[in-house]
Amino acid sequence: MTTTNDLAALETERNRIRAEYLSPADRRPASSARGLHHTALLSSDVLSTVRFYQDILEFPLTELIENRDYPGSSHFFFDIGNGNLLAFFDFPGLDLGPYAEVLGGLHHVAISVDPERWQHLVDKLKQNGIDHVVHSEVSVYFKDPDGARLELIADPLGEMYGHRVL
């Protein structure tokens, strides 16, 4: 259990890191990156993953190829807008076990959607019996068929709950 002293120490450390590393937006250097090319997740079943991401979340499948690193494995991609992709690998024959949140692993993927599309997608989650939790009326959290946690957020890219983060 985290004590009051622990919480104070954590806040002190956050403040120290902010002071040392966080520059105001007008003085922040440009990033060396152009954007997120893709995030790669694992899929236990290609068809159920395609049906979930394309049919329910409405992210179009853009490519389905053999994984060059593992014969018989698929590498497939979904368009999540703005030139970004969500990718998957399946590894038939390997016992990867169930999804687990572990240190260094995936906590969740947050994907920005237009506010008018957000409610439509929340309704589709309900219609398809997918457990979900709405937070702050702009975020919905749920899990994909393999247990990976996802968030659809109606805030624009670079904002979170009305606060600029970029």
Side-chain angles (χ1 to χ4, degrees):
M1 174 173 266
T2 307
T3 67
T4 303
N5 287 341
D6 293 337
L7 293 173
L10 292 168
E11 183 60 24
T12 298
E13 179 63 2
R14 275 192 295 273
N15 287 335
R16 185 192 69 72
I17 292 169
R18 276 188 208 100
E20 185 173 346
Y21 293 100
L22 184 61
S23 299
D26 62 344
R27 291 189 300 151
R28 195 174 305 142
S31 175
S32 62
R34 293 188 298 189
L36 182 66
H37 187 279
H38 70 274
T39 295
L41 303 174
L42 298 177
S43 167
S44 64
D45 181 84
V46 174
L47 184 56
S48 68
T49 300
V50 169
R51 286 178 174 159
F52 181 81
Y53 283 91
Q54 181 165 276
D55 296 348
I56 296 173
L57 298 182
E58 302 178 5
F59 302 158
L61 180 70
T62 63
E63 185 59 275
L64 172 60
I65 57 177
E66 184 175 31
N67 175 6
R68 67 173 185 239
D69 300 322
Y70 185 81
S73 171
S74 298
H75 193 188
F76 51 109
F77 301 83
F78 297 92
D79 180 356
I80 58 169
N82 220 33
N84 298 289
L85 298 165
L86 188 59
F88 288 85
F89 291 103
D90 72 331
F91 291 104
L94 294 182
D95 181 18
L96 298 177
Y99 175 82
E101 287 185 11
V102 296
L103 191 59
L106 177 71
H107 183 268
H108 74 276
V109 175
I111 299 169
S112 177
V113 297
D114 287 329
E116 53 278 354
R117 300 292 297 163
W118 183 85
Q119 188 59 57
H120 166 75
L121 294 171
V122 171
D123 292 342
K124 285 186 81 172
L125 294 172
K126 288 179 193 172
Q127 292 163 7
N128 285 278
I130 298 167
D131 289 335
H132 60 281
V133 175
V134 172
H135 178 69
S136 301
E137 299 304 316
V138 294
S139 287
V140 61
Y141 293 89
F142 54 98
K143 293 181 179 179
D144 82 354
D146 288 306
R149 189 186 325 222
L150 302 169
E151 174 187 10
L152 298 180
I153 186 166
D155 282 339
L157 294 171
E159 288 186 22
M160 189 162 182
Y161 308 130
H163 178 76
R164 294 286 302 157
V165 293
L166 178 64

